[in-house]
Amino acid sequence: MEKKKIVIDYEQCALEDLTVDELRLIESAKMATRTSYAPYSHFAVGAAALLDNGETVTGSNQENVAFPSGLCAERTALFCCGAHFPDRAVVALGIAAHDGKDFTDRPITPCGACRQVMLETEERGQHEMTILLFGKQCVWRIAGVKSLLPFTFSSDFVPRKEE
Ligand code: THU
């Protein structure tokens, strides 16, 4: 038996550590919380995806009385990218959340299903995605989805048939 360890790298940043583009993306994610439809959780999440052509696509969580029918902000934004810009890579994703009173102090981290979709978005675009998780106290910057989702189930396991 051999014990093994996975080490995950991320950066804890102050706003001054971020680039102008990163600050803009976080602002877009914060703005996107305003379009959240969250009458059940009252927790508004916003996501902003930066494409390789400089465009920004935003999304927010959309809930439903039949709970599993709702969707998180991250997947709303990324599926919107796929629907409107199928040939563009997503190069960065900003995420912010508002609890009804204010933006969260700590960064919020995406759920497992969103991480899985982020991974495939990265593979599809063949471009590593910088993830910016906003909190009022600090921003976590993560270089690539693999750091958020180790032991990934990726398309390597499911070879595609030649078309
Ligand atoms: N939610 C997101 O939109 N993104 C996350 O990363 C975590 C959770 C949403 C789902 C639900 O509408 C609300 O936040 C409370 O869980």
Side-chain angles (χ1 to χ4, degrees):
M1 198 266 280
E2 197 185 334
K3 275 203 177 168
K4 297 194 175 233
K5 216 178 248 175
I6 292 177
V7 177
I8 293 173
D9 284 318
Y10 68 101
E11 295 170 306
Q12 180 155 305
C13 305
L15 291 179
E16 305 83 77
D17 300 323
L18 303 178
T19 66
V20 174
D21 283 350
E22 289 173 338
L23 288 169
R24 266 201 210 120
L25 198 63
I26 285 172
E27 268 321 297
S28 299
K30 288 168 79 176
M31 287 281 283
T33 61
R34 297 189 194 174
T35 67
S36 157
Y37 176 65
Y40 306 103
S41 72
H42 304 286
F43 191 70
V45 185
L50 178 66
L51 305 180
D52 61 358
N53 65 354
E55 294 236 30
T56 302
V57 176
T58 61
S60 54
N61 56 328
Q62 302 295 319
E63 297 183 352
N64 189 278
V65 65
F67 285 177
S69 303
L71 198 63
C72 293
E74 296 88 330
R75 275 175 288 161
T76 304
L78 293 178
F79 290 152
C80 196
C81 292
H84 291 280
F85 302 94
D87 301 323
R88 306 258 55 129
V90 175
V91 299
L93 183 70
I95 303 167
H98 194 287
D99 63 13
K101 288 202 182 92
D102 203 348
F103 289 101
T104 55
D105 284 331
R106 292 190 313 131
I108 73 146
T109 47
C111 78
C114 288
R115 292 176 199 208
Q116 187 69 35
V117 170
M118 288 159 68
L119 181 74
E120 188 142 341
T121 303
E122 210 175 52
E123 285 177 356
R124 188 175 168 183
Q126 296 181 318
H127 197 295
E128 206 169 72
M129 192 189 297
T130 301
I131 302 137
L132 298 161
L133 305 174
F134 174 79
K136 280 187 296 168
Q137 286 170 354
C138 61
V139 173
W140 289 343
R141 181 166 54 196
I142 303 166
V145 183
K146 289 214 168 79
S147 295
L148 261 182
L149 189 65
F151 281 126
T152 52
F153 180 75
S154 76
S155 58
D156 299 347
F157 294 115
V158 188
R160 292 178 194 218
K161 291 215 173 79
E162 294 298 327
E163 289 182 30

